[in-house]
Amino acid sequence: MTTPMPQWLKDLVGRNKAALRSSAALHAQQSIDQHLLHTVCHAARCPNRGECFNCGDATFMVLGDICTRGCRFCAVTKARPLPPDENEPERVAQAVKEWGIRYAVLTMPTRDDLNDGGAAHFARVIRAIKTLTPQVKVEPLISDLRGDVSALQTVLQARPDVLAHNVETVPDLYAAVRIGADYKQTLTLLENSKKLAPHIFTKTGFMVGLGESDGQIRALMRDLRAAGVDLLTIGQYLTPSAAHYPVARYPEPAEYRAWEEYALSIGFKGVASGPLVRSSYRAGALYARAVSGGVSK
């Protein structure tokens, strides 16, 4: 059974939902609809989408909005996906230009039905954005690509500015939470990215509140640093429905500050840690802090 959400967090979520009714947020949604695009903001029911839309940020979901895996924490639809849309790269690039986006985050559902996991299509989207708007920074948030190093290299050859892949949770919870995923494979992908393209920042994120301990969280962060990960996000797990994995607890804001301080102390170049932080939350600002050598306070 899911633990009831505390009032302070309900208030925070409520304020962000109210922001969805602003003119800027409505304009953002109209642009997304016009270009027949998907965003993870909606597919994953992100609580920050009102704030991000008002800031001109969004995370585009390419390769459709249907996933081939059945992770118990995720709200994205699980079913047989459609073939890749050959016109999608140009539509995404055009939306980025029209919206005036300076930092584009791209994500994807896991596409185990495709030989390369969708890497070639993903790389086409990155190149289309870079061609139409060379000044825009691009952060792809990829699936594990089933550990295929050549598929990873295909994405990296498109020259993204950050390569992101989420670890999601501590290793002891993988079997219960991340169906079909492998902890060592995730670490290896992040490590291989840094080996293949040392100049490209690597980034990952994980959720808390699924039943992990403080010791497990800190051990996870040490593993990620050992794999060469540069940027980290930590946020509260919010169950999408009663059928999904239950919330075990809601850490207090002070705990997020302590995890952020620890992560910075062991060498992460940028950290975003808070109850409503998600992997793509204010991603451009986190990247800028890492480039400048600053810290996320």
Side-chain angles (χ1 to χ4, degrees), residues 9 25 75 96 103 106 116 121 123 131 134 160 165 184 218 226 258 268-269 279:
L9 187 52
V96 168
Y103 192 97
L106 310 171
D116 66 350
H121 184 88
T131 298
H165 172 60
K184 289 183 179 179
R218 291 170 186 259
F268 284 97
K269 294 181 174 65
S279 55

Side-chain angles (χ1 to χ4, degrees), residues 70-285:
C71 294
R72 293 188 61 202
F73 68 88
C74 184
V76 176
T77 302
K78 284 78 173 173
R80 182 183 294 276
L82 297 172
D85 180 347
E86 294 302 316
N87 297 317
E88 183 175 53
E90 288 69 33
R91 291 206 312 274
V92 172
Q94 191 62 41
V96 168
K97 181 180 180 180
E98 289 180 9
W99 203 348
I101 289 174
R102 290 174 292 180
Y103 192 97
V105 182
L106 310 171
T107 189
M108 62 185 294
T110 300
R111 292 295 303 261
D112 291 331
D113 60 309
L114 302 175
N115 290 334
D116 66 350
H121 184 88
F122 214 69
R124 281 187 59 209
V125 178
I126 296 169
R127 290 193 180 96
I129 294 171
K130 293 281 189 179
T131 298
L132 192 61
T133 51
Q135 74 281 7
V136 172
K137 304 297 182 184
V138 182
E139 176 183 311
L141 173 58
I142 64 173
S143 71
D144 62 20
L145 303 174
R146 293 176 294 186
D148 186 339
V149 177
S150 63
L152 171 63
Q153 193 157 22
T154 294
V155 176
L156 292 171
Q157 286 172 345
R159 302 179 67 182
D161 298 278
V162 175
L163 190 288
H165 172 60
N166 284 339
V167 69
E168 304 292 10
T169 188
V170 300
D172 287 348
L173 290 177
Y174 257 59
V177 176
R178 291 203 72 193
I179 310 302
D182 181 83
Y183 178 70
K184 289 183 179 179
Q185 185 169 270
T186 286
L187 286 182
T188 300
L189 181 146
L190 292 164
E191 189 172 23
N192 283 338
S193 179
K194 184 56 68 175
K195 289 178 180 177
L196 292 167
H199 60 290
I200 295 176
F201 284 129
T202 49
K203 179 180 178 180
T204 196
F206 63 84
M207 305 168 289
V208 294
L210 295 112
E212 68 291 320
S213 68
D214 182 74
Q216 288 174 322
I217 290 171
R218 291 170 186 259
L220 171 59
M221 287 193 275
R222 292 192 294 272
D223 282 352
L224 294 170
R225 273 304 299 145
V229 176
D230 301 299
L231 307 175
L232 178 67
T233 63
I234 307 170
Q236 170 71 53
Y237 168 60
L238 299 175
T239 185
S241 76
H244 287 80
Y245 199 83
V247 177
R249 78 182 190 102
Y250 295 93
E252 294 288 331
E255 294 180 78
Y256 290 96
R257 291 193 293 271
W259 292 324
E260 179 173 341
E261 290 171 1
Y262 180 75
L264 291 169
S265 76
I266 61 174
F268 284 97
K269 294 181 174 65
V271 183
S273 178
L276 295 188
V277 167
R278 297 297 181 263
S279 55
S280 56
Y281 176 69
R282 307 306 299 274

Side-chain angles (χ1 to χ4, degrees), residues 31-69:
S31 177
I32 291 165
D33 293 342
Q34 176 187 348
H35 293 285
L36 304 177
L37 300 173
H38 301 288
T39 67
V40 75
C41 317
H42 282 93
R45 304 177 193 174
C46 179
N48 298 310
R49 59 187 185 274
E51 177 186 351
C52 292
F53 284 175
N54 277 293
C55 294
D57 294 342
T59 299
F60 297 97
M61 181 177 249
V62 304
L63 285 163
D65 60 351
I66 298 174
C67 185
T68 55
R69 294 191 190 167

